Short mmCIF file of all heavy atoms in Angstrom, two decimals:
data_model
loop_
_atom_site.label_atom_id
_atom_site.label_comp_id
_atom_site.label_asym_id
_atom_site.label_seq_id
_atom_site.Cartn_x
_atom_site.Cartn_y
_atom_site.Cartn_z
N MET A 1 1.79 24.30 15.34
CA MET A 1 0.44 23.85 15.66
C MET A 1 0.37 23.59 17.25
O MET A 1 1.11 22.86 17.82
CB MET A 1 0.30 22.39 15.05
CG MET A 1 -1.12 21.80 15.35
SD MET A 1 -1.32 20.23 14.50
CE MET A 1 -0.08 19.21 15.35
N ASP A 2 -0.56 24.33 17.85
CA ASP A 2 -0.78 24.21 19.25
C ASP A 2 -1.66 22.91 19.45
O ASP A 2 -2.71 22.78 18.91
CB ASP A 2 -1.57 25.41 19.75
CG ASP A 2 -1.75 25.39 21.20
OD1 ASP A 2 -1.29 24.48 21.86
OD2 ASP A 2 -2.43 26.29 21.71
N VAL A 3 -1.08 22.04 20.28
CA VAL A 3 -1.82 20.75 20.48
C VAL A 3 -2.24 20.58 21.90
O VAL A 3 -2.04 19.62 22.56
CB VAL A 3 -0.87 19.58 20.07
CG1 VAL A 3 -0.78 19.52 18.53
CG2 VAL A 3 0.49 19.75 20.69
N ASP A 4 -2.88 21.61 22.36
CA ASP A 4 -3.42 21.56 23.73
C ASP A 4 -4.47 20.46 23.82
O ASP A 4 -5.29 20.27 22.93
CB ASP A 4 -4.16 22.92 24.03
CG ASP A 4 -4.83 22.87 25.40
OD1 ASP A 4 -4.19 22.98 26.44
OD2 ASP A 4 -6.07 22.68 25.38
N ASP A 5 -4.44 19.66 24.79
CA ASP A 5 -5.26 18.42 24.96
C ASP A 5 -6.82 18.72 24.83
O ASP A 5 -7.55 18.01 24.18
CB ASP A 5 -5.02 17.74 26.22
CG ASP A 5 -3.70 16.95 26.25
OD1 ASP A 5 -3.25 16.65 25.12
OD2 ASP A 5 -3.17 16.68 27.38
N ALA A 6 -7.22 19.87 25.47
CA ALA A 6 -8.61 20.12 25.39
C ALA A 6 -9.05 20.43 24.00
O ALA A 6 -10.17 20.09 23.50
CB ALA A 6 -8.89 21.34 26.35
N GLN A 7 -8.19 21.21 23.24
CA GLN A 7 -8.54 21.55 21.87
C GLN A 7 -8.57 20.27 21.01
O GLN A 7 -9.42 20.14 20.08
CB GLN A 7 -7.54 22.49 21.34
CG GLN A 7 -7.65 23.93 21.93
CD GLN A 7 -6.58 24.84 21.45
OE1 GLN A 7 -5.45 24.45 21.28
NE2 GLN A 7 -6.97 26.05 21.14
N VAL A 8 -7.66 19.35 21.25
CA VAL A 8 -7.60 18.12 20.56
C VAL A 8 -8.91 17.40 20.67
O VAL A 8 -9.56 16.93 19.69
CB VAL A 8 -6.42 17.20 20.98
CG1 VAL A 8 -6.61 15.80 20.42
CG2 VAL A 8 -5.10 17.80 20.54
N ARG A 9 -9.40 17.27 21.91
CA ARG A 9 -10.58 16.47 22.15
C ARG A 9 -11.79 17.17 21.59
O ARG A 9 -12.68 16.57 20.96
CB ARG A 9 -10.83 16.36 23.72
CG ARG A 9 -9.94 15.39 24.36
CD ARG A 9 -10.33 15.01 25.82
NE ARG A 9 -10.32 16.16 26.66
CZ ARG A 9 -9.25 16.56 27.34
NH1 ARG A 9 -8.16 15.81 27.31
NH2 ARG A 9 -9.31 17.60 28.13
N GLU A 10 -11.84 18.52 21.65
CA GLU A 10 -12.96 19.22 21.07
C GLU A 10 -12.98 19.17 19.56
O GLU A 10 -14.04 18.80 18.99
CB GLU A 10 -12.85 20.72 21.47
CG GLU A 10 -14.00 21.57 20.93
CD GLU A 10 -13.82 23.01 21.31
OE1 GLU A 10 -12.86 23.40 21.98
OE2 GLU A 10 -14.60 23.89 20.80
N THR A 11 -11.80 19.26 18.95
CA THR A 11 -11.76 19.20 17.46
C THR A 11 -12.13 17.81 16.95
O THR A 11 -12.87 17.67 15.97
CB THR A 11 -10.40 19.58 16.98
OG1 THR A 11 -10.08 20.91 17.46
CG2 THR A 11 -10.33 19.59 15.46
N ALA A 12 -11.58 16.78 17.64
CA ALA A 12 -11.84 15.42 17.19
C ALA A 12 -13.28 15.14 17.43
O ALA A 12 -13.93 14.48 16.57
CB ALA A 12 -11.00 14.38 18.06
N ARG A 14 -15.89 17.21 17.26
CA ARG A 14 -16.64 17.84 16.13
C ARG A 14 -16.52 17.06 14.91
O ARG A 14 -17.48 16.93 14.08
CB ARG A 14 -16.12 19.24 15.96
CG ARG A 14 -16.58 20.30 17.03
CD ARG A 14 -16.46 21.75 16.51
NE ARG A 14 -15.11 21.97 16.02
CZ ARG A 14 -14.14 22.50 16.77
NH1 ARG A 14 -14.37 22.72 18.10
NH2 ARG A 14 -12.94 22.77 16.20
N ILE A 51 -2.53 20.17 5.62
CA ILE A 51 -2.00 20.70 6.87
C ILE A 51 -2.87 21.79 7.49
O ILE A 51 -2.36 22.58 8.32
CB ILE A 51 -0.51 21.24 6.71
CG1 ILE A 51 -0.46 22.38 5.74
CG2 ILE A 51 0.37 20.16 6.32
CD1 ILE A 51 0.89 23.05 5.71
N THR A 52 -4.17 21.80 7.14
CA THR A 52 -5.07 22.66 7.87
C THR A 52 -5.16 22.30 9.34
O THR A 52 -4.88 21.09 9.66
CB THR A 52 -6.49 22.61 7.29
OG1 THR A 52 -7.01 21.24 7.33
CG2 THR A 52 -6.50 23.10 5.86
N ARG A 53 -5.45 23.22 10.13
CA ARG A 53 -5.41 22.95 11.64
C ARG A 53 -6.41 21.82 11.96
O ARG A 53 -6.05 20.92 12.73
CB ARG A 53 -5.87 24.26 12.31
CG ARG A 53 -5.96 24.07 13.87
CD ARG A 53 -6.39 25.41 14.48
NE ARG A 53 -6.49 25.23 15.95
CZ ARG A 53 -5.49 25.34 16.78
NH1 ARG A 53 -4.26 25.48 16.38
NH2 ARG A 53 -5.68 25.20 18.12
N SER A 54 -7.69 21.87 11.41
CA SER A 54 -8.66 20.81 11.74
C SER A 54 -8.16 19.43 11.31
O SER A 54 -8.33 18.47 12.06
CB SER A 54 -9.94 21.16 11.11
OG SER A 54 -9.88 21.26 9.73
N ASN A 55 -7.60 19.35 10.13
CA ASN A 55 -7.16 18.03 9.63
C ASN A 55 -6.05 17.52 10.47
O ASN A 55 -5.96 16.33 10.79
CB ASN A 55 -6.73 18.09 8.19
CG ASN A 55 -6.58 16.75 7.52
OD1 ASN A 55 -7.40 15.84 7.78
ND2 ASN A 55 -5.57 16.57 6.77
N LEU A 56 -5.04 18.36 10.84
CA LEU A 56 -3.93 17.96 11.64
C LEU A 56 -4.28 17.59 13.05
O LEU A 56 -3.80 16.65 13.64
CB LEU A 56 -2.88 19.06 11.70
CG LEU A 56 -2.01 19.19 10.41
CD1 LEU A 56 -1.20 20.44 10.43
CD2 LEU A 56 -1.09 17.99 10.18
N MET A 57 -5.25 18.32 13.66
CA MET A 57 -5.72 18.01 14.97
C MET A 57 -6.35 16.61 15.00
O MET A 57 -6.17 15.85 15.92
CB MET A 57 -6.67 19.06 15.50
CG MET A 57 -6.05 20.43 15.62
SD MET A 57 -4.88 20.50 16.99
CE MET A 57 -5.97 20.86 18.37
N LEU A 58 -7.20 16.31 13.92
CA LEU A 58 -7.78 14.96 13.93
C LEU A 58 -6.73 13.91 13.71
O LEU A 58 -6.78 12.84 14.29
CB LEU A 58 -8.83 14.94 12.80
CG LEU A 58 -9.57 13.60 12.56
CD1 LEU A 58 -10.27 13.19 13.91
CD2 LEU A 58 -10.55 13.74 11.45
N ALA A 59 -5.76 14.16 12.85
CA ALA A 59 -4.66 13.21 12.59
C ALA A 59 -3.88 12.97 13.95
O ALA A 59 -3.57 11.81 14.19
CB ALA A 59 -3.77 13.75 11.51
N TYR A 60 -3.62 13.98 14.63
CA TYR A 60 -2.86 13.86 15.89
C TYR A 60 -3.68 12.97 16.85
O TYR A 60 -3.15 12.03 17.50
CB TYR A 60 -2.66 15.26 16.54
CG TYR A 60 -2.11 15.22 17.92
CD1 TYR A 60 -0.67 15.12 18.11
CD2 TYR A 60 -2.88 15.22 19.09
CE1 TYR A 60 -0.16 15.03 19.35
CE2 TYR A 60 -2.39 15.14 20.34
CZ TYR A 60 -0.96 15.07 20.50
OH TYR A 60 -0.45 14.99 21.77
N GLN A 61 -4.98 13.22 16.96
CA GLN A 61 -5.84 12.35 17.81
C GLN A 61 -5.73 10.90 17.40
O GLN A 61 -5.67 10.07 18.29
CB GLN A 61 -7.31 12.83 17.71
CG GLN A 61 -8.28 12.06 18.58
CD GLN A 61 -8.18 12.38 20.04
OE1 GLN A 61 -7.38 13.21 20.45
NE2 GLN A 61 -8.90 11.61 20.87
N LEU A 80 5.22 13.29 21.38
CA LEU A 80 4.91 14.03 20.14
C LEU A 80 4.49 15.47 20.36
O LEU A 80 4.94 16.38 19.66
CB LEU A 80 3.84 13.20 19.34
CG LEU A 80 3.37 13.86 18.05
CD1 LEU A 80 4.58 14.01 17.07
CD2 LEU A 80 2.26 13.01 17.37
N LYS A 81 3.62 15.64 21.30
CA LYS A 81 3.10 17.02 21.54
C LYS A 81 4.26 18.01 21.83
O LYS A 81 4.30 19.08 21.21
CB LYS A 81 2.08 17.02 22.67
CG LYS A 81 1.50 18.40 22.92
CD LYS A 81 0.30 18.31 23.82
CE LYS A 81 0.67 17.91 25.26
NZ LYS A 81 -0.40 18.06 26.24
N GLY A 82 5.04 17.64 22.73
CA GLY A 82 6.21 18.56 23.05
C GLY A 82 7.09 18.80 21.87
O GLY A 82 7.59 19.94 21.60
N TRP A 83 7.37 17.72 21.05
CA TRP A 83 8.23 17.88 19.90
C TRP A 83 7.60 18.81 18.87
O TRP A 83 8.30 19.68 18.29
CB TRP A 83 8.46 16.46 19.26
CG TRP A 83 9.49 16.47 18.19
CD1 TRP A 83 10.84 16.13 18.36
CD2 TRP A 83 9.44 16.82 16.82
NE1 TRP A 83 11.60 16.25 17.21
CE2 TRP A 83 10.62 16.66 16.20
CE3 TRP A 83 8.31 17.28 16.07
CZ2 TRP A 83 10.89 16.91 14.88
CZ3 TRP A 83 8.52 17.46 14.69
CH2 TRP A 83 9.76 17.32 14.12
N LEU A 84 6.31 18.70 18.63
CA LEU A 84 5.63 19.59 17.75
C LEU A 84 5.71 21.01 18.10
O LEU A 84 5.76 21.92 17.19
CB LEU A 84 4.21 19.09 17.49
CG LEU A 84 4.00 17.73 16.80
CD1 LEU A 84 2.55 17.31 16.86
CD2 LEU A 84 4.48 17.80 15.34
N LYS A 85 5.52 21.24 19.39
CA LYS A 85 5.59 22.63 19.85
C LYS A 85 6.92 23.36 19.50
O LYS A 85 6.97 24.53 19.18
CB LYS A 85 5.36 22.72 21.34
CG LYS A 85 3.93 22.50 21.79
CD LYS A 85 3.76 22.63 23.28
CE LYS A 85 2.32 22.49 23.69
NZ LYS A 85 2.16 22.61 25.18
N GLN A 86 8.00 22.58 19.52
CA GLN A 86 9.30 23.10 19.18
C GLN A 86 9.61 23.11 17.73
O GLN A 86 10.28 24.03 17.19
CB GLN A 86 10.37 22.28 19.86
CG GLN A 86 10.59 22.49 21.35
CD GLN A 86 11.82 21.82 21.89
OE1 GLN A 86 11.85 20.58 22.01
NE2 GLN A 86 12.86 22.58 22.15
N HIS A 87 9.15 22.06 16.96
CA HIS A 87 9.60 21.89 15.60
C HIS A 87 8.57 22.02 14.53
O HIS A 87 8.95 21.97 13.33
CB HIS A 87 10.29 20.51 15.48
CG HIS A 87 11.43 20.33 16.43
ND1 HIS A 87 12.65 20.91 16.31
CD2 HIS A 87 11.46 19.60 17.59
CE1 HIS A 87 13.45 20.52 17.30
NE2 HIS A 87 12.74 19.72 18.07
N TRP A 88 7.29 22.13 14.79
CA TRP A 88 6.28 22.04 13.77
C TRP A 88 6.42 23.17 12.75
O TRP A 88 6.18 22.95 11.55
CB TRP A 88 4.86 22.10 14.31
CG TRP A 88 3.80 22.08 13.28
CD1 TRP A 88 2.98 23.10 12.90
CD2 TRP A 88 3.66 21.05 12.29
NE1 TRP A 88 2.22 22.81 11.84
CE2 TRP A 88 2.60 21.54 11.40
CE3 TRP A 88 4.14 19.78 12.08
CZ2 TRP A 88 2.09 20.76 10.33
CZ3 TRP A 88 3.62 19.08 11.05
CH2 TRP A 88 2.66 19.52 10.19
N ALA A 89 6.81 24.38 13.19
CA ALA A 89 6.91 25.50 12.18
C ALA A 89 7.85 25.18 11.08
O ALA A 89 7.56 25.46 9.92
CB ALA A 89 7.39 26.75 12.98
N ARG A 92 6.32 22.41 8.88
CA ARG A 92 5.25 22.96 8.03
C ARG A 92 5.82 23.70 6.91
O ARG A 92 5.32 23.57 5.66
CB ARG A 92 4.42 23.91 8.93
CG ARG A 92 3.25 24.54 8.12
CD ARG A 92 2.45 25.45 9.11
NE ARG A 92 1.24 25.97 8.41
CZ ARG A 92 1.26 27.07 7.62
NH1 ARG A 92 2.44 27.68 7.44
NH2 ARG A 92 0.16 27.51 7.08
N LEU A 129 2.01 11.00 11.71
CA LEU A 129 1.04 12.13 11.78
C LEU A 129 0.81 12.72 10.41
O LEU A 129 -0.34 12.99 10.00
CB LEU A 129 1.66 13.23 12.69
CG LEU A 129 0.88 14.55 12.73
CD1 LEU A 129 -0.46 14.40 13.43
CD2 LEU A 129 1.68 15.65 13.44
#
Side-chain angles (χ1 to χ4, degrees):
M1 180 178 66
D2 182 5
V3 286
D4 177 78
D5 285 338
Q7 291 177 318
V8 168
R9 288 193 295 272
E10 180 183 356
T11 303
R14 285 200 306 268
I51 61 173
T52 58
R53 179 182 178 82
S54 60
N55 193 41
L56 284 170
M57 295 291 275
L58 179 58
Y60 174 85
Q61 178 75 4
L80 177 59
K81 181 169 68 173
W83 190 96
L84 290 171
K85 285 182 176 180
Q86 281 189 287
H87 303 287
W88 176 249
R92 181 180 185 277
L129 172 71

